[in-house]
Amino acid sequence: MEEEYLNDGKLEVEIHVEIMKMIGFPRKGLRSFGEEMKQFSDVILKVEDRKFYVLKLYLSSQSPYFATLFLGQFQESEKLEIELKDVNPHDFQYYLEVIYAEDAIDDYTVEGILEIADMYETPLAIKKCEKYLIIESKMEMNKKLELAEKYRLEELKKVCQKPI
């Protein structure tokens, strides 16, 4: 058994891990959208157990979805607190950071940001994610191509399909 698994007396192991849930934020210096931003906000977006204090007008300028929600003829446009369903609060934090011009995109956050940006029709965030995937990401090409297909990232798709 030693001959089969040991190489010069050393055991090499390759482990593949899928993180199912993260608690807290691993990055430092996150932009705050918490209660301390209350005086600078005009709406609270509730995502699961977290509250995000944001500006309706700014989000509306970034997303037709939010423009319709906040400025349209819906009862939500009058509410001070709106609950968003089917959204991961960590991904939503990173999404907000991106549209508020923070550097939140990395190989661990890009897919969650893309999912929310696609859901809320946010072209700026989608474009930033695509640019990151083309220029900086160390993801495997097949994963990049999968994201390109899923989120209609045409420039990334061209890069992924270009012969080497």
Side-chain angles (χ1 to χ4, degrees), residues 31-65:
R31 182 183 187 107
S32 176
F33 296 97
E35 193 166 343
E36 63 275 7
M37 298 307 289
K38 189 175 187 174
Q39 65 183 343
F40 306 111
S41 69
D42 57 5
V43 69
I44 302 165
L45 298 177
K46 188 168 189 278
V47 180
E48 290 182 7
D49 61 342
R50 294 219 23 225
K51 292 182 178 184
F52 296 88
Y53 292 78
V54 295
L55 286 167
K56 288 180 181 180
L57 192 57
Y58 187 73
L59 282 181
S60 296
S61 73
Q62 299 296 317
S63 160
Y65 173 90

Side-chain angles (χ1 to χ4, degrees), residues 69-105:
L69 180 70
F70 297 143
L71 308 174
Q73 300 300 316
F74 297 101
Q75 66 182 27
E76 284 85 2
S77 66
E78 302 300 319
K79 290 184 177 180
L80 296 177
E81 183 171 314
I82 300 170
E83 186 171 1
L84 300 178
K85 303 277 188 187
D86 302 319
V87 177
N88 177 298
H90 301 296
D91 292 339
F92 194 71
Q93 169 75 33
Y94 298 132
Y95 163 80
L96 287 176
E97 287 184 40
V98 169
I99 63 175
Y100 277 83
E102 298 291 334
D103 188 19
I105 304 170

Side-chain angles (χ1 to χ4, degrees), residues 1 13 25 43 67 131:
M1 208 163 153
V13 179
F25 294 102
V43 69
K131 182 178 176 186

Side-chain angles (χ1 to χ4, degrees), residues 1-161:
M1 208 163 153
E2 281 183 27
E3 290 176 15
E4 189 175 337
Y5 294 105
L6 296 181
N7 185 10
D8 291 333
K10 296 179 183 172
L11 177 65
E12 285 189 36
V13 179
E14 183 176 326
I15 299 173
H16 297 266
V17 177
E18 181 179 352
I19 298 172
M20 302 302 287
K21 182 178 181 181
M22 289 178 53
I23 298 174
F25 294 102
R27 296 182 312 111
K28 300 217 187 292
L30 292 178
R31 182 183 187 107
S32 176
F33 296 97
E35 193 166 343
E36 63 275 7
M37 298 307 289
K38 189 175 187 174
Q39 65 183 343
F40 306 111
S41 69
D42 57 5
V43 69
I44 302 165
L45 298 177
K46 188 168 189 278
V47 180
E48 290 182 7
D49 61 342
R50 294 219 23 225
K51 292 182 178 184
F52 296 88
Y53 292 78
V54 295
L55 286 167
K56 288 180 181 180
L57 192 57
Y58 187 73
L59 282 181
S60 296
S61 73
Q62 299 296 317
S63 160
Y65 173 90
F66 285 119
T68 301
L69 180 70
F70 297 143
L71 308 174
Q73 300 300 316
F74 297 101
Q75 66 182 27
E76 284 85 2
S77 66
E78 302 300 319
K79 290 184 177 180
L80 296 177
E81 183 171 314
I82 300 170
E83 186 171 1
L84 300 178
K85 303 277 188 187
D86 302 319
V87 177
N88 177 298
H90 301 296
D91 292 339
F92 194 71
Q93 169 75 33
Y94 298 132
Y95 163 80
L96 287 176
E97 287 184 40
V98 169
I99 63 175
Y100 277 83
E102 298 291 334
D103 188 19
I105 304 170
D106 61 31
D107 281 353
Y108 302 102
T109 63
V110 69
E111 190 168 3
I113 295 167
L114 276 169
E115 183 178 338
I116 292 175
D118 184 61
M119 181 187 310
Y120 296 133
E121 307 166 53
T122 316
L124 175 69
I126 292 170
K127 199 72 182 156
K128 285 182 174 184
C129 288
E130 183 176 35
K131 182 178 176 186
Y132 169 82
L133 287 164
I134 292 169
I135 297 171
E136 297 179 54
S137 176
K138 303 292 185 229
M139 255 182 220
E140 291 182 15
M141 199 60 72
N142 61 345
K143 180 63 178 176
K144 289 182 182 183
L145 186 56
E146 178 187 315
L147 293 174
E149 293 285 340
K150 185 174 183 178
Y151 297 107
R152 300 164 309 282
L153 307 174
E154 296 305 320
E155 290 301 313
L156 178 60
K157 195 183 302 183
K158 287 177 192 172
V159 169
C160 291
Q161 295 174 337

